[in-house]
Amino acid sequence: MAKEKIIKLDGLTKKYGQLTAVDQLTLSIQRGEIFGLLGPNGAGKTTTILMLLGLSEPTSGKAEVCGVDPTFQPLLVKEKVGYLPDEVGFYENLSGLDNLLYTAALNGVDSSVAEERAKLLLEQVDLTSRAYDKVQTYSRGMKQRLGLADILIKEPEVIVLDEPTSGIDPEGVRELLALIKQLSQERNMTVLLSSHHLYQVQQICDRVGLFVEGKLIAVGPIKELGYNLFKSDPIRLEVEVEPIDEQLISAIEANQYVTRVDYSQKRLLISCQQHIGAEIAGIITKHGARLTHLSQHDYGLDEIYHRYFEEGR
């Protein structure tokens, strides 16, 4: 059974004079999935988000979010979508709890359920101990977690996160990404995550879309994108061996299924057309070197993106 498409974009285009910020974007996102919209700054990610939220009108094309056209019904879209920008704004002199209660009131949440819901959300984002502290005392990471609670207080069908990990320390990033994934799974909630931090996105996204200069150049699960892009050498072996010398590298490169060998300190990354791990181990042993590790290495999102970026320019 096909999943419901909760976000549908058809030929969506935005021009500012001679500049085309978003160029003929056609894309659908399913209910409950975490979708990563990836690209460098200026690629058109934020412009796309603004059109989805009804905050900017497209030059041409059409968007539909939760069955609603944001161009003609922007307020209705805002009822169904929670938006967390890279710079979260709160009333700094109010507590975290009071900020959530204020947002709940603005969104028509009954006061009889608002406080209970706010406290539950603060527990989910691990801010219960700071619930009554003023937001001006929060770290950036805490504000981002409070931001998640803030957009969830109205129980949206979709949440849109624009560079949510910007300026957060590595541990804070790890916690925030884990929280996003957990919330999506628990609530069957759709997440659109815009970012240029490829490794972070790789950890939680079901599918990704790669943006280059306003154009969507590739869409799909990360493994599928890697396989399609590296069809000539879909297998990559990560090998730790010592010593490594030119003779060993030449012997490996001579194998008919090896297309490339990259060398870094005691590690070899071998691109090949077939699973030839046993043959590579035999070559190393015959050469008299010591093999300490051999495993298949999936192409990372950074490798995939850079290859697509080079081809898309």
Side-chain angles (χ1 to χ4, degrees):
M1 182 177 177
K3 290 188 177 181
E4 176 188 358
K5 296 177 180 178
I6 198 165
I7 297 176
K8 293 187 285 187
L9 311 178
D10 184 13
L12 198 66
T13 300
K14 181 65 177 181
K15 294 185 177 182
Y16 297 98
Q18 298 300 312
L19 173 67
T20 302
V22 177
D23 190 0
Q24 294 290 318
L25 175 58
T26 298
L27 173 69
S28 62
I29 299 174
Q30 299 172 347
R31 181 180 294 276
E33 80 171 320
I34 302 178
F35 188 92
L37 197 58
L38 310 180
N41 293 329
K45 304 186 302 297
T46 298
T47 302
T48 298
I49 287 172
L50 294 178
M51 289 189 284
L52 288 177
L53 296 171
L55 297 174
S56 179
E57 292 188 11
T59 305
S60 61
K62 184 177 180 180
E64 187 177 292
V65 183
C66 304
V68 178
D69 188 327
T71 301
F72 298 102
Q73 295 180 291
L75 293 180
L76 184 54
V77 165
K78 291 178 180 63
E79 289 179 11
K80 297 175 178 291
V81 179
Y83 174 49
L84 182 66
D86 58 344
E87 291 289 341
V88 188
F90 292 107
Y91 291 97
E92 297 279 325
N93 62 331
L94 296 180
S95 69
L97 177 60
D98 285 340
N99 268 279
L100 294 188
L101 293 177
Y102 183 68
T103 299
L106 290 177
N107 284 277
V109 179
D110 194 283
S111 59
S112 63
V113 300
E115 185 164 355
E116 181 180 354
R117 186 182 297 177
K119 288 181 177 179
L120 177 61
L121 286 168
L122 286 168
E123 181 179 351
Q124 286 186 302
V125 300
D126 196 25
L127 286 174
T128 299
S129 63
R130 302 294 300 274
Y132 297 96
D133 294 344
K134 292 183 178 180
V135 171
Q136 64 190 16
T137 67
Y138 286 16
S139 67
R140 181 175 176 83
M142 292 170 64
K143 288 180 179 178
Q144 291 296 95
R145 298 206 306 275
L146 182 62
L148 269 181
D150 192 66
I151 62 176
L152 292 171
I153 194 77
K154 62 181 179 180
E155 298 188 333
E157 296 181 52
V158 176
I159 62 172
V160 178
L161 312 175
D162 194 358
E163 299 288 355
T165 62
S166 177
I168 305 178
D169 63 84
E171 180 61 19
V173 168
R174 186 193 66 77
E175 292 176 353
L176 184 64
L177 292 177
L179 178 61
I180 292 169
K181 190 172 185 68
Q182 175 191 340
L183 291 171
S184 175
Q185 292 173 341
E186 290 178 351
R187 298 165 179 256
N188 193 32
M189 189 169 52
T190 306
V191 179
L192 176 59
L193 172 61
S194 168
S195 180
H196 65 276
H197 295 293
L198 305 183
Y199 176 71
Q200 296 173 5
V201 171
Q202 182 171 331
Q203 298 176 64
I204 65 168
C205 287
D206 301 305
R207 290 191 303 145
V208 297
L210 307 183
F211 247 59
V212 175
E213 297 178 351
K215 295 181 178 180
L216 189 66
I217 59 174
V219 180
I222 295 170
K223 285 189 176 182
E224 182 180 301
L225 291 179
Y227 180 81
N228 291 336
L229 182 60
F230 297 95
K231 283 183 178 178
S232 61
D233 47 6
I235 308 301
R236 202 171 197 196
L237 301 176
E238 182 176 314
V239 179
E240 292 180 7
V241 59
E242 57 180 340
I244 296 176
D245 53 34
E246 292 184 6
Q247 288 77 20
L248 175 60
I249 293 175
S250 296
I252 293 173
E253 289 176 333
N255 185 284
Q256 62 178 322
Y257 298 115
V258 172
T259 59
R260 178 173 175 172
V261 179
D262 293 311
Y263 164 58
S264 175
Q265 296 180 342
K266 298 179 181 180
R267 186 179 68 161
L268 297 174
L269 289 176
I270 305 170
S271 301
C272 43
Q273 298 169 334
Q274 295 186 15
H275 294 277
I276 55 170
E279 294 180 39
I280 296 300
I283 293 172
I284 292 171
T285 302
K286 185 176 180 180
H287 189 75
R290 185 166 67 92
L291 175 64
T292 57
H293 175 82
L294 190 153
S295 63
Q296 183 172 321
H297 166 74
D298 290 330
Y299 286 100
L301 188 53
D302 54 347
E303 297 162 309
I304 294 169
Y305 180 76
H306 289 307
R307 176 73 69 89
Y308 271 113
F309 182 76
E310 290 170 1
E311 293 183 356
R313 297 187 70 171

